[in-house]
């Protein structure tokens, strides 16, 4: 708890920097708009201002400072603008509306969760296979490890299009991407976890003449839990990124990725930022929920 | 149908050979550890080739490996240009800047216990977020060329490297710090002689995580807008033209680049942290 | 205080604040150590023997009383690098060779390169580790690592050597051997040594003065000046004099225990 004050200070510092950054980022746009609206701006004419430093413009046009935090399409929206947009598009809109971020968030979240569950399930199964079979271990494990070092997300656009061409659309293609992105971290983490009992603990079970299955259920599986949860957290974050990226190539109209892309097409910066924050909140909630389950499970098992 | 049968046969044969090797007497040797996965990979490629031909899978669904290899060999200049644009300029440029910035921030934060306690949870939180979503914003700010891709990479690698470096710099034991006191060592003396070397395994952990993130960032950022060169551009453009052999060729490049980049950092790590128990064999 | 007094503690108190209220680690400690003495501090855990050593090294600050080291405050003595300190664990840096580890304090203290090399050679000889300078700590046994850490403390030639249970983690046979070597080293160099231990034979075998301490609050219950000669073969441990001193130490420890 003693880190509450430091964390709040750091967050306040970030917000302060953000507001400060809005000044130079937005001043040129603000001045152009002001001039068009008939205000006197020094120096006059966009051409004269183009090569001036943002700082000099701020000094010369102090009156425009509040406007840098209130533009409709700023280069960098101020924190409160993003917060208001988030509020408007979540709480104030009906969730069935195409402009509701809850709706878009749910589209992305459902694909994320479906893919995550599939990827995790398959990952755990493969990990069990790897731990129990030497040949699987030696054949597959190196490739699973290598897969962690390459940007497999690059496959995403192709998967969407290939599945589309054989008639699969909607949630499934995105879920496939989410699934394979969470699959590999879970395999690697789970294998590590199932192998975490040391030789002494395994020897102890041998003295009881325990079967392979008993060794798995009574020792390996419980021992793997901390590792499993660590990789689940990585996996769910990867799944979410996968679902978002999966919404980019087909010109999808719903989902957080679609909001990001549409925002960048039409220069709706506030919309981009609010979609970005919605994705961030979603990620934080997913990781947080997994963390809660982790503490509950580990506590139940007496491991914390 | 014959080819499908052959594919099944090849699969069985590959698995049988690997089983023999894995259960054989020399399974622990280095050569076997390398040979078995290579045989497995080759089996997959062969089965893939045979199935695609045997079932006459259309190109727009899955091209055969031979076709991908052909395309790869035939498009070397394009692939090279894309590699330079995305990996060397975007990913590597952003990686160097991002890691350096994270390192500098870590040293600044390190001097204040208050800042460190505040920044670590915030940094850990930010490191878990889908930062690649900043791509459309950064593309808007820095333009379509590689600068915006490098900027995405900077943001993506910054937090993992920062968090690992700060954690690593705190890895020294009370005894080691007391010892430095008995030598009446100054801040920078104990920084360079004790805390930095002790932090190296952690720093490299962050640097290794960052290699993959850098590639992901550089490629995905191109989906939000790019000049007509670059791996992400080529992938989305070729997908649009249903030229899947080209997509796969780019993915091969991405895989090679990723392993190479990671391998390079891991090699430097081995040289720097040769003393760490995980590196001694 | 005479010319040859190295450490002088008067009415020394030290209280640690803890979550369960303050703990008095040292209470009214009076002690003086003369130049060239080998002083052992012995007592059960919590008796303040390590705390007192750390006060001498300015790693802890007393809350009452006075203490001088070489006639100045421990803090000044630390800054003038008046002592070498050997911890319970060797604490060698795994990324430096043995020679590199011994050079570490020499680099910090600004010795020239040639001087560093010369001293490394000297102290390696002193602790019987010639030829191991190029090895890494993890390539050496525990006893050799601890010898290297002593060499590291000797390298900058401080007059005082403070050792906090340096052989506590080693087995009996290695320990006997190192005790013998430490005595020989002390005899050759004439350093003043403060040595924390919880082994009665070790304290009696090594020391010219044995300080018996007891816990809650940490205090000195007995100071025994050893009549044993400076030259001590291991066999001295079977002589009646040795057994008599050991007996007195044991009595002192028991008396301290009976208090609570």
């Amino acid at each position: 708890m003693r880190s509450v004050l430091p964390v709040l200070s750091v967050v306040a510092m970030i917000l302060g920097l953000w507001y400060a950054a809005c000044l130079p980022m937005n001043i040129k746009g603000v001045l152009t708009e002001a001039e068009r609206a008939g205000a006197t701006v020094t120096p006059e004419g966009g051409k004269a201002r183009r090569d001036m430093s943002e700082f000099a413009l701020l000094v010369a046009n102090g009156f425009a400072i509040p406007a840098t935090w209130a533009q409709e399409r700023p280069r960098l929206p101020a924190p409160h603008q993003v917060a208001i947009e988030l509020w408007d598009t979540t709480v104030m809109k009906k969730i069935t509306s195409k402009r509701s971020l809850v709706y878009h968030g749910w589209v992305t979240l459902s694909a994320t969760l479906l893919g995550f569950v599939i990827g995790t399930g398959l990952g755990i199964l493969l990990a069990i296979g790897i731990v129990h079979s030497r040949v699987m271990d030696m054949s597959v494990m190196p490739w699973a490890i290598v897969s962690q070092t390459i940007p497999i997300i690059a496959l995403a656009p192709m998967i969407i299009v290939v599945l589309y061409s054989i008639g699969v659309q909607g949630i499934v293609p995105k879920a496939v991407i989410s699934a394979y992105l969470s699959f590999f971290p879970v395999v690697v983490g789970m294998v590590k976890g199932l192998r975490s009992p040391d030789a002494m603990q395994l020897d102890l079970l041998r003295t009881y003449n325990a079967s392979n299955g008993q060794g798995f259920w009574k020792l390996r599986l419980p021992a793997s839990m901390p590792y499993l949860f660590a990789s689940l957290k990585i996996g769910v974050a990867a799944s979410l990124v996968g679902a978002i990226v999966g919404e980019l190539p087909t010109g999808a109209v719903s989902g957080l990725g679609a909001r990001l892309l549409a925002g960048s097409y039409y220069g709706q910066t506030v919309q981009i930022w609010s979609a970005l924050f919605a994705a961030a909140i979603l990620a934080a909630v997913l990781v947080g929920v997994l963390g809660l389950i982790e503490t509950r499970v580990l506590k139940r098992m007496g491991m914390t | 149908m014959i080819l499908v049968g052959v594919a099944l046969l090849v699969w069985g044969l590959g698995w049988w050979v690997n089983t023999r090797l894995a259960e054989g007497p020399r399974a622990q040797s280095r050569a076997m550890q390398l040979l078995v996965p290579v045989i497995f990979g080759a089996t997959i490629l062969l089965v893939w080739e045979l199935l695609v031909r045997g079932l006459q899978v259309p190109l727009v669904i899955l091209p055969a490996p031979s076709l991908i290899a052909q395309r790869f060999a035939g498009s070397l200049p394009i692939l090279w240009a894309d590699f330079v644009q995305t990996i060397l300029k975007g990913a590597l440029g952003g990686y160097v800047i991002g890691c350096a910035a994270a390192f500098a921030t870590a040293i600044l934060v390190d001097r204040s216990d208050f800042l460190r306690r505040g920044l670590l949870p915030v940094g850990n939180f930010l490191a878990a977020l889908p930062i690649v979503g900043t791509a459309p914003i950064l593309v808007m700010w820095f333009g379509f060329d590689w600068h915006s891709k490098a900027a995405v990479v900077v943001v993506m690698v910054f937090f993992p490297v920062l968090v690992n470096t700060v954690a690593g710099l705190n890895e020294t034991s009370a005894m080691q710090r007391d010892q430095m006191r008995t030598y009446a060592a100054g801040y920078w003396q104990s920084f360079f002689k004790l805390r930095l070397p002790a932090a190296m395994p952690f720093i490299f952990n962050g640097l290794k995580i960052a290699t993959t993130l850098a590639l992901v960032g550089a490629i995905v950022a191109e989906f939000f807008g790019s000049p007509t060169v670059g791996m992400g551009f080529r992938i989305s453009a070729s997908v649009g033209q249903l030229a899947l052999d080209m997509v796969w060729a780019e993915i091969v490049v991405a895989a090679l680049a990723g392993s190479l980049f990671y391998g390079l950092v891991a090699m430097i790590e081995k040289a720097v942290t040769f003393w760490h128990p995980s590196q001694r064999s | 205080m005479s010319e040859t007094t190295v450490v002088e503690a008067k009415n020394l108190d030290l209280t640690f604040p803890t979550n369960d209220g303050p703990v008095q680690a040292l209470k009214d400690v009076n002690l003086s150590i003369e130049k060239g003495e080998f002083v052992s501090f012995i007592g059960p855990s919590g008796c303040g023997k390590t705390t007192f050593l750390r006060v001498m090294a300015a790693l802890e600050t007393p809350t009452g009383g006075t203490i001088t080291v070489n006639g100045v405050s421990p803090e000044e003595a630390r800054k003038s690098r008046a002592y070498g300190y050997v911890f319970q664990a060797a604490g060698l840096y795994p990324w430096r060779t043995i020679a590199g580890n011994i050079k570490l304090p020499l680099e910090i203290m600004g010795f020239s390169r040639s001087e560093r090399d010369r001293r490394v050679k000297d102290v390696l000889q002193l602790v019987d580790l010639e030829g191991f300078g190029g090895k890494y700590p993890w390539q050496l046994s525990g006893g050799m690592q601890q010898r290297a850490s002593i060499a590291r403390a000797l390298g900058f030639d401080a007059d005082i050597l403070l050792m906090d249970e340096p052989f506590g983690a080693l087995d009996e046979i290695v320990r006997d051997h190192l005790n013998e070597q430490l005595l020989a080293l002390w005899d050759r160099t004439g350093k003043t040594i403060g040595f924390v231990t919880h082994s009665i034979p070790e304290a009696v075998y090594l020391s010219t003065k044995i300080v018996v301490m007891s816990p809650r609050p940490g205090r000195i219950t007995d100071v025994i000046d050893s009549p044993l000669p400076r030259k001590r073969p291991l066999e001295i441990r079977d002589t009646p004099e040795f057994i008599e001193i050991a007996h007195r130490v044991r009595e002192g420890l028991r008396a301290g225990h009976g208090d609570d």
Side-chain angles (χ1 to χ4, degrees):
Chain A
M1 275 305 106
R2 64 191 196 114
S3 57
V4 170
L5 190 67
V7 167
L8 287 179
S9 320
V10 167
V11 170
M13 241 159 61
I14 292 172
L15 284 178
L17 279 176
W18 186 347
Y19 271 108
C22 286
L23 297 174
M25 288 297 283
N26 297 336
I27 185 68
K28 283 189 178 168
V30 165
L31 291 181
T32 312
E33 282 171 22
E35 194 166 47
R36 220 175 282 152
T40 22
V41 170
T42 39
E44 285 177 28
K47 219 173 185 177
R49 289 194 299 270
R50 191 184 302 153
D51 296 325
M52 281 182 68
S53 82
E54 283 82 1
F55 189 69
L57 284 172
L58 279 167
V59 172
N61 301 284
F63 73 93
I65 285 175
T68 58
W69 298 321
Q71 264 186 300
E72 185 158 343
R73 288 180 177 191
R75 287 182 73 198
L76 174 61
H80 68 269
Q81 288 179 291
V82 178
I84 290 169
E85 168 84 4
L86 267 176
W87 177 261
D88 282 348
T89 50
T90 51
V91 182
M92 304 302 285
K93 286 269 184 316
K94 269 204 305 210
I95 54 165
T96 49
S97 159
K98 288 272 185 280
R99 291 198 54 204
S100 164
L101 263 186
V102 178
Y103 163 76
H104 291 287
W106 169 247
V107 168
T108 303
L109 178 66
S110 53
T112 303
L113 287 181
L114 181 63
F116 175 64
V117 168
I118 296 171
T120 304
L122 293 177
I124 292 174
L125 283 181
L126 182 62
I128 294 172
I130 285 176
V131 171
H132 283 101
S133 151
R134 260 194 90 69
V135 58
M136 269 177 93
D137 177 22
M138 288 178 73
S139 309
V140 182
M141 198 54 192
W143 293 107
I145 291 171
V146 168
S147 76
Q148 303 268 279
T149 69
I150 61 183
I152 45 179
I153 200 163
L155 289 164
M158 188 177 64
I159 287 169
I160 300 283
V161 169
V162 166
L163 290 179
Y164 182 83
S165 72
I166 57 172
V168 182
Q169 320 181 30
I171 186 175
V172 176
K174 289 192 278 175
V176 169
I177 297 167
S178 287
Y180 81 73
L181 284 178
S182 55
F183 174 75
F184 290 106
V186 171
V187 170
V188 174
M190 193 68 187
V191 166
K192 219 186 217 170
L194 290 172
R195 291 225 169 105
S196 63
D198 59 35
M200 201 188 74
Q201 291 169 310
L202 292 169
D203 282 349
L204 184 67
L205 279 181
R206 281 175 67 91
T207 68
Y208 302 153
N209 196 22
S211 69
N212 259 343
Q214 286 169 322
F216 176 77
W217 290 108
K218 296 201 187 303
L219 177 60
R220 287 187 189 273
L221 191 66
S224 72
M225 282 303 134
Y227 296 84
L228 176 64
F229 276 105
S231 44
L232 284 184
K233 285 188 215 166
I234 298 169
V236 81
S239 280
L240 182 65
V241 171
I244 291 173
V245 172
E247 286 160 354
L248 299 180
T250 47
V253 286
S254 50
L256 293 175
R259 291 289 281 182
L260 283 176
L261 200 63
S264 83
Y265 275 158
Y266 303 113
Q268 295 284 2
T269 44
V270 183
Q271 179 186 324
I272 300 181
W273 279 88
S274 58
L276 184 61
F277 269 80
I281 292 165
L282 213 54
V285 168
L286 287 173
V287 173
V289 167
L290 279 172
L292 274 179
I293 299 175
E294 177 182 22
T295 13
R296 290 287 291 274
V297 168
L298 293 189
K299 201 169 216 170
R300 223 153 180 191
M301 293 168 54
M303 292 178 87
T304 41
Chain B
M1 272 306 112
I2 298 170
L3 287 177
V4 178
V6 174
L8 290 177
L9 210 68
V10 167
W11 176 258
L13 191 73
W15 199 249
W16 179 77
V17 169
N18 267 358
T19 312
R20 290 298 299 268
L21 290 178
E23 256 125 56
R26 297 193 51 238
Q28 292 304 328
S29 71
R30 245 195 123 72
M32 283 300 153
Q33 303 274 354
L34 210 69
L35 186 64
V36 171
V38 166
I39 291 178
F40 179 73
T43 309
I44 295 242
L45 281 182
L46 210 57
V47 169
W48 174 354
E49 178 83 34
L50 290 167
L51 282 182
V52 167
R53 284 174 187 246
L55 299 172
Q56 296 182 331
V57 178
L59 172 75
V60 293
I61 290 178
L62 190 63
S66 59
L67 218 64
I68 298 169
Q70 226 170 37
R71 169 62 73 168
F72 188 94
S75 320
L76 282 178
I78 296 180
L79 294 173
W80 175 251
D82 291 346
F83 172 80
V84 170
Q85 170 79 9
T86 305
I87 306 291
L88 294 188
K89 289 181 181 167
L92 208 58
Y95 181 83
V96 170
I97 298 171
C99 293
F103 193 68
T105 313
I107 292 174
L108 282 177
V109 170
D110 177 66
R111 302 210 68 164
S112 151
D113 188 47
F114 183 80
L115 268 183
R116 186 171 59 231
R117 286 213 310 268
L119 203 80
L120 265 187
V122 176
N124 267 321
F125 173 76
L126 291 172
L129 298 185
I131 292 183
V132 74
T134 56
I137 297 161
L138 293 167
V139 168
M140 208 174 276
W141 287 354
F142 295 99
F144 278 0
D145 208 354
W146 62 271
H147 305 91
S148 61
K149 287 32 174 207
V152 174
V153 174
V154 168
V155 185
M156 282 191 79
V157 302
F158 183 79
F159 292 104
V161 176
L162 174 68
V163 169
N164 276 286
T165 307
V166 171
L169 286 175
N170 283 294
E171 256 308 286
T172 50
S173 65
M175 192 195 82
Q176 288 174 315
R177 288 193 298 270
D178 278 347
Q179 189 184 53
M180 275 296 166
R181 267 179 70 82
T182 69
Y183 301 151
Y187 173 84
W188 290 111
Q189 280 178 325
S190 50
F191 181 85
F192 281 114
K193 295 205 187 292
L194 168 61
R195 300 177 58 225
L196 190 60
M200 277 305 167
F202 286 77
I203 295 174
F204 271 100
N205 187 39
L207 291 179
K208 284 194 295 190
I209 295 170
T211 58
T212 318
L213 289 176
L215 262 56
V216 168
I219 293 173
V220 172
E222 289 183 8
F223 295 160
F224 286 94
S226 64
T228 56
V229 62
M231 296 166 65
F233 161 78
R234 192 78 55 206
I235 286 172
S236 52
S238 304
V239 163
Q241 299 155 2
L242 297 177
L244 289 201
D245 49 349
M246 191 65 195
V247 177
W248 279 101
E250 287 287 358
I251 285 165
V252 171
V253 175
L256 289 177
S259 324
L260 214 69
F261 195 2
Y262 186 93
L264 208 66
V265 175
M267 244 168 62
I268 301 174
E269 176 187 28
K270 210 173 169 59
V272 174
T273 64
F274 64 93
W275 49 270
H276 196 257
S278 66
Q279 301 285 349
R280 290 183 229 143
S281 46
Chain C
M1 191 171 110
S2 74
E3 274 293 293
T4 55
T5 303
V6 175
V7 177
E8 178 92 66
K10 280 194 185 125
N11 310 324
L12 205 64
D13 284 318
L14 200 158
T15 309
F16 288 118
T18 70
N19 288 333
D20 308 326
V23 169
Q24 189 148 34
L26 292 175
K27 184 175 187 287
D28 198 25
V29 169
N30 290 287
L31 186 72
S32 70
I33 299 175
E34 300 296 314
K35 188 168 169 40
E37 274 192 298
F38 196 128
V39 183
S40 283
F41 298 88
I42 189 166
S45 58
C47 71
K49 54 191 193 296
T50 294
T51 308
F52 185 66
L53 203 72
R54 289 173 63 86
V55 168
M56 283 195 267
L59 293 172
E60 309 284 357
T61 318
T63 45
T66 56
I67 178 166
T68 58
V69 176
N70 281 346
V72 296
S73 76
E75 186 67 16
E76 284 169 275
R78 178 176 73 86
K79 291 204 170 120
S80 64
R81 286 132 180 179
Y83 62 84
Y85 200 104
V86 180
F87 292 86
Q88 184 166 15
L92 300 167
Y93 292 1
W95 55 85
R96 283 173 174 252
T97 59
I98 295 301
N101 268 288
I102 297 171
K103 279 181 195 162
L104 171 75
L106 303 176
E107 288 167 16
I108 290 173
M109 297 173 190
F111 286 85
S112 74
R113 189 173 293 268
S114 56
E115 182 68 14
R116 293 202 294 254
D117 291 336
R118 193 184 65 73
R119 281 168 183 256
V120 166
K121 206 165 148 267
D122 287 354
V123 292
L124 277 177
Q125 203 163 22
L126 220 47
V127 297
D128 241 358
L129 278 178
E130 299 111 309
F132 289 96
K135 290 261 191 259
Y136 284 94
W138 28 276
Q139 296 169 319
L140 267 55
S141 70
M144 289 164 100
Q145 288 185 27
Q146 198 52 276
R147 255 152 55 202
S149 91
I150 294 171
R152 182 179 55 187
L154 292 172
F156 47 96
D157 213 14
D159 292 334
I160 309 169
L161 198 54
L162 302 176
M163 308 175 89
D164 183 7
E165 294 190 42
F167 309 136
L170 304 176
D171 68 59
E172 196 74 25
I173 295 158
V174 177
R175 197 170 177 158
D176 275 352
H177 183 59
L178 290 182
N179 281 343
E180 230 180 336
Q181 283 188 317
L182 181 61
L183 268 187
L185 191 132
W186 168 67
D187 193 40
R188 245 178 302 163
T189 58
K191 288 188 191 307
T192 312
I193 298 182
F195 190 96
V196 168
T197 180
H198 52 234
S199 154
I200 296 173
E202 189 173 62
V204 178
Y205 176 63
L206 291 174
S207 320
T208 57
K209 181 186 268 181
I210 302 160
V211 178
V212 183
M213 299 181 75
S214 86
R216 285 178 298 273
R219 64 197 185 281
I220 294 176
T221 49
D222 196 6
V223 177
I224 303 162
D225 283 304
S226 172
L228 297 178
R230 274 181 83 93
K231 293 255 188 259
R232 301 172 186 182
L234 274 175
E235 296 74 46
I236 206 169
R237 294 184 299 184
D238 299 324
T239 62
E241 292 94 332
F242 186 96
I243 292 167
E244 198 193 314
I245 306 167
H247 183 71
R248 193 175 151 194
V249 173
R250 191 169 290 117
E251 287 298 308
L253 288 173
R254 205 169 283 161
H257 246 304
D259 275 9
D260 53 20

